[in-house]
Amino acid sequence: MMGISPGWGWLLLPVCQALVVPREVSGRTGETLSLRCWYPSGYEGYNKYWCRGASRDSCRKVVETAGREAPQRHGRVSIQDNHIFCVALLNIEKLSKTDAGSYWCGVERMGRDLMEPVTVRVVPG
């Protein structure tokens, strides 16, 4: 990993192989937090979403792509899907303590959705 600036380490992750999210991310209050969720090849046109809650069955959708690459926004939260790199990017603007908790990246499909959890921590700015 020598010689690679920390911000670009995500490029080394497997692209279009599996549903992958970081286990945990942290951001400072007032700043914008970015979360990346990689998904397997073949799901480009599917609806990607982020939902919030302790379990996959009870989490509530925060924002979703509706299968498009154009950014979708809901309040301070936005999602953008990149079909080339198979990654759905979540941005939470003006991060606050109330944004901390469990989130899930999901890909809607027939049967059980693909879902992976990520914990968001918020530290004082």
Side-chain angles (χ1 to χ4, degrees), residues 49-70:
Y49 60 86
W50 288 90
C51 67
R52 187 170 180 186
S55 83
R56 63 177 287 154
D57 297 317
S58 66
C59 72
R60 292 189 326 277
K61 279 185 189 172
V62 181
V63 68
E64 58 190 316
T65 66
R68 298 193 299 274
E69 283 193 287

Side-chain angles (χ1 to χ4, degrees), residues 9-118:
W10 61 273
L11 280 174
L12 302 176
L13 281 173
V15 173
C16 304
Q17 295 296 308
L19 193 64
V20 178
V21 293
R23 274 204 166 49
E24 190 178 295
V25 293
S26 58
R28 295 181 186 283
T29 51
E31 293 184 357
T32 296
L33 178 77
S34 292
L35 255 175
R36 288 181 185 87
C37 171
W38 287 265
Y39 54 85
S41 177
Y43 288 100
E44 290 81 357
Y46 288 63
N47 185 34
K48 320 300 184 310
Y49 60 86
W50 288 90
C51 67
R52 187 170 180 186
S55 83
R56 63 177 287 154
D57 297 317
S58 66
C59 72
R60 292 189 326 277
K61 279 185 189 172
V62 181
V63 68
E64 58 190 316
T65 66
R68 298 193 299 274
E69 283 193 287
Q72 306 293 316
R73 172 175 290 280
H74 189 267
R76 294 180 296 115
V77 181
S78 64
I79 189 171
Q80 183 163 14
D81 191 1
N82 182 315
H83 292 173
I84 294 171
F85 293 106
C86 308
V87 61
L89 176 69
L90 174 76
N91 280 327
I92 305 173
E93 296 167 6
K94 298 187 185 75
L95 203 61
S96 74
K97 280 199 189 81
T98 58
D99 294 318
S102 300
Y103 290 77
W104 296 76
C105 173
V107 178
E108 240 168 55
R109 61 171 184 172
M110 292 291 287
R112 210 155 152 79
D113 290 359
L114 297 175
M115 290 178 78
E116 283 294 330
V118 54

